[in-house]
Structure formats: structure tokens, C-alpha cells
Amino acid sequence: MRLGASVQAALAGFKWSGPFREAGLLLLFALVLTAASWFLRSDGLPLAADPMEYELELAAPLTVTEEALAFYDEGDYLFVDTRPHPDGDFQTIPGAFFIREASFDDDLLEYFDFMTTKDHFILFGDGDIFPVSNIAARMQDRGYQNLLILKGGLTSWLQAGGEVSERSGGES
Amino acid sequence: MKDLFVLACRLFVGGVFIYASLDKLAHPQAFAEVIHHYRLTPYPLLHPSAHLLPILEFVIGSALILGLGGRGAALLAGTLTVVFMAAITSALVRNLDISCGCFNTDGGHDVGLDLLWRDGILLLMCLPPLLAPRPGFGLDRFFRK
């Protein structure tokens, strides 16, 4: 009660004047200047940040769909589907291995005879690159260094006309 | 004598803030990356922060040097310094090996305890202009009754 009364008294005594008013006006001025400079600098930074631009934080470099399609045609890269296992039928890139966050160790063990650390891999998800990056980091810990992450995931692969195959949820 | 001390604090803090803003104003993209390295700012706020912070620093610095809204500028400078100290402490706690981006967006000083001392001194120097009973030297004396 006493504390509540003190807070009430402090709030009643507060006046929007002095340093607070000055600080508010300066902040407002800075906001107006910021808006003006954003409009005037046509080559400036866009207001919305694209997480893709900050790919340096990713565990592996990004590759774009056109490049990935060329790698697929050449057959130099193995594709890794990192999406969580769906229940029903789903589409994926033909020949893709399935390595998921939840069953990472089991999945890697299953493909032990087919995936060597010297192979080159393209990891893809549903478009969100950060879960894919986490799996890439875990693969790097196991010695797989030649990794790329497909920008846009399977969605952009489909949009670019990439080949897909139907798989059922029970399959791996 | 007191007025001279307040003026010295104002000029010092104002100079530091203006100097700190220049490289960030020239390289907003690099500054956005510096902010991103702290891993505290969500993506929707990243670029707006990279736009606003250098301009706010420049406005605060100019207001302190000109003595226009000096107490408010000192309040903002102190608040910003506390925010910077919190960000540095957070980076230290999480063992982030990053550059502070205080004055230079291209590399610069690594985040460390010495930065907290430096910011602590800057914070103390914000107090005299904030608590000064009179406007002292500057444009405020023409506006304050």
C-alpha cells in the first residue's frame, strides 16, 4: 500500500517538462531526420532486413536454385532433405537423403555406407534456412565439410521447374 | 567554475557521440551487420535501428555541443550509454567474439570489460549536464526562463 501510494505520488508529481520534454523533442527530431534521410537516400538500406543477407551467420554457404539445378544435372552433389518427416505422401528431390534434426544421429547412421565426408552435399528445407543451417553445423561436426544450403528450399526448386519424386511418409 | 566543468562534460560527451555517428552514417549496411552480431535485435527492427541510432547519436552530440536542449540530450546520451553497456554485458555473458562497432563499423575494438569501464566514465560525464541547475554556456540560456 505504502509503495503504491509512493508510486502514485511520484506519477502525480511528474511533469512532462525539463529534460524529459527536451529528450522527447530531440528523439522526435531524430525520428523525422531518420525518415527524411531514408526517403532521400535512394541507394540506402531498405527498412526490412532480409535474413538471407546475413548469411555469414549460416553454417554453410548458400546456393541459388539455378546453380543447384546445374549441380543436380551434373550429378556432382548429393541432396539432403532436412524437413521434418511428414505423415502422408510428399514430394522431394529425387535421390535425396533424409537427415532431420529430431533423428539426426539415426539418419546419419542409416546412410553411413552411402555418404562419405568427401562427398559434396546440398541441404534443403521448406524455405526457412536456419533449421537447415543447424543441421549443416551438426554435419560439419561429423566431418562433412562440403556443404551448401539451397536458398528458398524445395519451394524455389519447384518454382524453377526442378524434378521431384513422390515419397510416402513411412519411407526414408 | 561549475559552468566550465559542465561545459567540458557536454563538449566531451557531445564530441564522442558525433564522432561515433560518422562512420555508421556513412556505412548503414555495415552498421546493421554490427548490430546483428550482438544477436539481440529481431530482423524487423534491424534496419530501422541501423538508420535511427547514428542519426540519434549525431542529434544528441550536436545538442550537447550547441547547448540546445542540453539536459534532454544528456538524458538521452546517458540512456543510450546504459543500453550500449547492457548490450556489451550481454555479449560478454554469451562469450560472443565480436567487435563492438562503437566508432568503427569495419572491425574495430573487440567487446571486452574495458569497454564497460569506458562507457561507465561516459555515463558519469552525462550527469553534470543533466543535473545542472542553470543552462550554462550554450543556446539553452536564450530559451530557459
Side-chain angles (χ1 to χ4, degrees), chain B residues 11-127:
Chain B
L11 292 180
F12 180 81
V13 177
V16 167
F17 268 76
I18 287 183
Y19 178 64
S21 71
L22 296 179
D23 192 52
K24 297 168 194 166
L25 283 169
H27 306 106
Q29 175 70 63
F31 183 51
E33 281 170 22
V34 167
I35 298 174
H36 178 60
H37 288 160
Y38 281 90
R39 296 176 200 174
L40 291 170
T41 316
Y43 281 111
L45 294 179
L46 187 60
H47 286 184
S49 306
H51 280 295
L52 176 64
L53 268 179
I55 289 178
L56 185 58
E57 283 180 337
F58 190 84
V59 167
I60 290 170
S62 305
L64 281 169
I65 286 175
L66 293 173
L68 182 63
R71 287 192 301 165
L75 178 65
L76 282 177
T79 308
L80 261 190
T81 307
V82 169
V83 170
F84 294 152
M85 289 173 83
I88 290 167
T89 306
S90 155
L92 285 173
V93 167
R94 289 176 293 152
N95 289 319
L96 295 183
D97 183 17
I98 56 175
S99 62
C100 78
C102 311
F103 297 107
N104 193 343
T105 53
D106 183 19
H109 199 299
D110 284 348
V111 163
L113 274 178
D114 55 329
L115 287 182
L116 287 179
W117 282 107
R118 192 181 71 185
D119 281 355
I121 292 167
L122 197 64
L123 183 60
L124 284 177
M125 294 189 77
C126 293
L127 292 179

Side-chain angles (χ1 to χ4, degrees), chain A residues 89-112:
Chain A
D89 292 346
F90 63 96
Q91 291 181 319
T92 189
I93 297 174
F97 295 106
F98 295 92
I99 297 179
R100 299 158 182 112
E101 188 81 56
S103 53
F104 181 82
D105 291 318
D106 292 338
D107 290 344
L108 215 55
L109 194 64
E110 188 176 339
Y111 299 127
F112 187 75

Side-chain angles (χ1 to χ4, degrees), chain A residues 151-172:
Chain A
K151 187 176 179 180
L154 190 68
T155 311
S156 62
W157 176 270
L158 286 166
Q159 283 169 354
E163 204 178 322
V164 287
S165 62
E166 292 286 336
R167 306 288 284 265
S168 71
E171 251 181 284
S172 62

